[in-house]
Amino acid sequence: MTTQAQLHCLCLLTLYLTTGYGQEGKFSGPLKPMEFSIFEGQEPSQLIFQFKANPPAVTFKLTGETDGIFQIQPDGLLYHNKSLDRETRAVHRLQVSALDAQGNTVEGPVPVTIEVKDINDNRPVFLQQHYEGSVRQNSRPGKPFMYVNATDLDDPATLNGQLIYQILMQLPKVNNVMYFQINNQTGGISLTPQGSQELDPLKNPQYKLVVSVADMGGLTEHSFSDSVPVDITVKENIWKPPEPVEIEENSTKPYPFKITQVQWNDPGALYSLLDKENTPRFPFSIDQEGDIYVTQPLDREEKDAYVFYAVAKDEQGKPLSKPLEIQVKVKDINDNPPTCSSPVTVLEVQENEQIGSSIGTLIAHDMDEENTVNSVLEYRIVDQTPKVPQDGLFLVQEYSGTLQLVLQSLHKRDTPQYNLSVQVSDKDFKTLCFVQINVIDINDQIPIFEKSDYGNLTFPEDTAVGSVILTIQATDTDEPHTGSSKILYRITQGDSEGRLEIETDPQTNTGYVKLKKPLDFETVAIHNIVVQAENPEPLVPGVQYNANSSATFRLMVTDVNEAPQFSQQVFEAKVSEAVAKGTKVGNMTAKDPEGLDVSYSLRGDKRGWLRIDPATGEIFSVAQLDREAESLYRVQVVATEVGGSYLSSTAQFHLTLTDVNDNPPRLVKEYTGLFFCYPLKAPGSLIFEATDDDELTFRGRHFTFSLGSESLQKDWEVSKINGTHAHLSTKHTGFEERVYNISIRISDGDRQPLEGIVSLPVTFCKCVENRCFRPAAHMPGIPPVGMAVGILLATLLVIGIILAVVFFRMKRDKGQHKAESAQASEVKPLRN
């Protein structure tokens, strides 16, 4: 190899090392199977690898899919002399053999695989130069109605072959709204929600789109792209609700039979019906051609109309569009006879009623459709019983059923009752209805009192409301239990305040005069009452009520001594809690019905705050009021008549106290557990809260906080958190293990502010598990060590004394027992 060639190989080696060809980044190695990855489009004469020969091998041979591109030099340098093209061959499978000097293979062949890696050297291209499509108006948004497709020869597994679709232009673009959208992965073109609603072939039947495709996922400006025009025709939507359907009820056609049809814009839709009325029986069905059928006879009288919906879905069961409303009206036929509203219709007519007078109306019904020939009813009298004084006394209006009196007036003495048979018919059916006409007496007699004057009545003014004070009686000779003979009593004079009422017994027409309101001697002592007796039925012309229909009585009310009366039961007043002693805070007045003087006194003044003027009822303060003790102060005022029976009555006096700033701030509670762990490792802080006893305003409390002494400022500081809370913080860590009582000054910030100085005890103590731990000697309530030892020794001494006494007595008792035994032994005879 020449020096120049060696230099060229050295350059190739340098490029090879920098580009990283070969396994494990190595440039040379023994002959063995190898795999290499090389980007297409590289400059020719690129070094790939150098195989090393083992003696007796002196040269190398290359075979396989070289395509005239790959070569190997005798010293084992493998390289390519042309640019690689992945689209021509993505993988080259080569074999390398080692030869000796005679050309014999001494090693190999071994496989060498060259993978050509892709670069973005091909632009995407649409499969067509022009696309055409069509779409129905109101199609479902997001469902593709056509596709555009492009290909790219680059590796689809790399970013080079990943294509992205985009709509560049829409013409026309109404109101700058896009009616079309494209799936950037699949190229599927569909309607936007606005397009689904607004596309109208009558306004714009044609649209032109420009669609682009870009490789590299469209993520870089170095990507290749292509574009294509797309013409879209907008077709009329045939998914429309059909015209309302009319079906004759109880049709004799064979079921099911077709009544209407719906159709989706494209074939393959799945149809179903939706009954939103949830009818007990749903007599309709639909097939997969969109034909809708009625499946059984309909009855208009059961249901005169149906509203349901036709639904179109795709193969996945998703709705293709909004359901269509189907309206079915059931057409009436005359299949119902007339019916009477009741078995017998009862009417009344007064005797001497004029000819032509209306007696009443016979009401009949027909279940067939109203305002049609099927429900038009005709009335005709077919019989009259009895026929006295003659037949044909009554007439019925042919279409209204109104009955009239004809020929002559009626008299109850001739007959008290007539029975008519009336035929009611429609165009196909006839029904017989019955009418009973009662002849009633006319109101030609007036009520007459049994006596015109019921004399004098005397009742005390405290007679109970509801009491019967008088029974009155009038009679009427008209027909009993009719409006002509029923009597109503009415007070026409002497009771302007409505204190009396009269109830009538419906069976006997007896009147009971009752008290409706309390009597009052002081208002009216004598009532001259006039009572009128009347009928609810009007009198016939020429007859009028006279003096016989009225009666009088005199009601005399006797006086009863009554207690004074307050004008109201609760009197209310409002004053500031800071009013001076002797200030008038209210006034109570009562009047005695008999006109006696009234004396006033208080009851329930438990705090002794008030006094009342016994003559005038004026109420004054006699002590300092305190809203914090009682904000609403309630007492009773007693009004007693002076003289007479000294009767009394009571009323409530409620005094509302308004607040003044008279309470300094204080701590919200007693803080006994504030502590820091000793020794303090870093400055810390504690939180405390303040309050006062004055009334809380809508602004809330706004306290200010400061240290109570300047001497505390080198060790402590106070900072406000909000209107009621503050931090107490240490400024350093050099505190002793003891209790510090920190004075805090708290001001309430009022116009005339009050301030209070409080003390916060803060303990520095050794901590166990973040809790303050104090030795027993320092705990309150537990004796110190010396005292505890003294108590223990005294206890042991007492126990020792007790044990000594017990031991001494036991020893003494034992000695006495031995002496007694010895004496017994001396007197006891010996036995042989």
Side-chain angles (χ1 to χ4, degrees), residues 98-242:
L99 309 178
D100 60 13
Q102 289 75 32
N104 299 318
T105 300
V106 296
E107 191 175 356
V110 298
V112 176
T113 302
I114 307 294
E115 178 192 7
V116 182
K117 299 188 69 173
D118 187 47
I119 64 173
N120 190 25
D121 56 348
N122 292 279
R123 64 180 296 219
V125 178
F126 280 101
L127 299 183
Q128 298 177 207
Q129 294 183 352
H130 178 261
Y131 286 87
E132 293 182 351
S134 63
V135 62
R136 297 277 183 184
Q137 67 178 135
N138 304 124
S139 293
R140 182 157 62 94
K143 181 177 177 59
F145 59 85
M146 67 175 295
Y147 288 85
V148 295
N149 299 102
T151 59
D152 192 313
L153 296 177
D154 290 320
D155 187 358
T158 67
L159 200 61
N160 303 326
Q162 292 185 9
L163 305 183
I164 295 295
Y165 296 93
Q166 181 182 4
I167 296 178
L168 297 179
M169 186 184 305
Q170 170 191 299
L171 295 175
K173 194 173 184 181
V174 182
N175 297 326
N176 201 33
V177 175
M178 289 296 293
Y179 290 157
F180 302 92
Q181 59 187 349
I182 190 168
N183 187 309
N184 63 1
Q185 302 290 328
T186 66
I189 299 176
S190 62
L191 295 182
T192 63
Q194 295 90 337
S196 176
Q197 296 178 5
E198 299 177 15
L199 277 183
D200 187 349
L202 298 179
K203 296 180 179 179
N204 290 300
Q206 297 289 334
Y207 286 84
K208 181 181 289 292
L209 305 180
V210 176
V211 178
S212 72
V213 62
D215 59 16
M216 300 296 288
L219 301 176
T220 172
E221 60 183 8
H222 302 296
S223 61
F224 294 115
S225 64
D226 190 15
S227 61
V228 67
V230 180
D231 290 331
I232 298 175
T233 301
V234 181
K235 296 182 178 180
E236 183 182 4
N237 179 23
I238 61 175
W239 180 248
K240 295 181 178 179

Side-chain angles (χ1 to χ4, degrees), residues 652-711:
Q652 299 289 327
F653 177 67
H654 293 175
L655 181 61
T656 300
L657 302 181
T658 59
D659 189 43
V660 297
N661 188 27
D662 58 349
N663 290 278
R666 59 177 176 81
L667 294 176
V668 75
K669 63 179 181 179
E670 183 179 358
Y671 287 92
T672 58
L674 300 179
F675 72 93
F676 290 104
C677 291
Y678 177 84
L680 193 62
K681 297 180 179 179
S685 64
L686 302 169
I687 297 177
F688 63 93
E689 181 183 0
T691 186
D692 67 20
D693 296 318
D694 290 319
E695 185 176 14
L696 183 64
T697 65
F698 71 95
R699 293 177 57 252
R701 306 195 191 281
H702 293 275
F703 298 132
T704 58
F705 304 89
S706 60
L707 291 172
S709 172
E710 293 184 1
S711 61

Side-chain angles (χ1 to χ4, degrees), residues 8 11-12 15 21 38-48 68-71 78-84:
H8 178 65
C11 293
L12 291 178
L15 178 62
Y21 287 157
I38 304 175
F39 281 104
E40 64 175 333
Q42 297 285 346
E43 293 293 330
S45 300
Q46 295 288 329
L47 179 64
I48 300 174
I69 298 175
F70 298 96
Q71 294 182 354
L78 177 65
Y79 65 96
H80 61 89
N81 55 19
K82 296 180 182 179
S83 296
L84 302 180

Side-chain angles (χ1 to χ4, degrees), residues 340-353:
C340 308
S341 60
S342 60
V344 178
T345 299
V346 179
L347 303 175
E348 291 183 347
V349 58
Q350 286 187 343
E351 61 178 350
N352 296 330
E353 191 77 51

Side-chain angles (χ1 to χ4, degrees), residues 212 257 262 276 282 377 395 411 523 547 575 607 649 668 717:
S212 72
F257 62 84
V262 295
K276 289 192 175 181
F282 183 64
L377 301 181
L395 172 71
H411 298 282
T523 303
V575 297
R607 296 188 180 274
S649 61
V668 75
E717 64 178 353

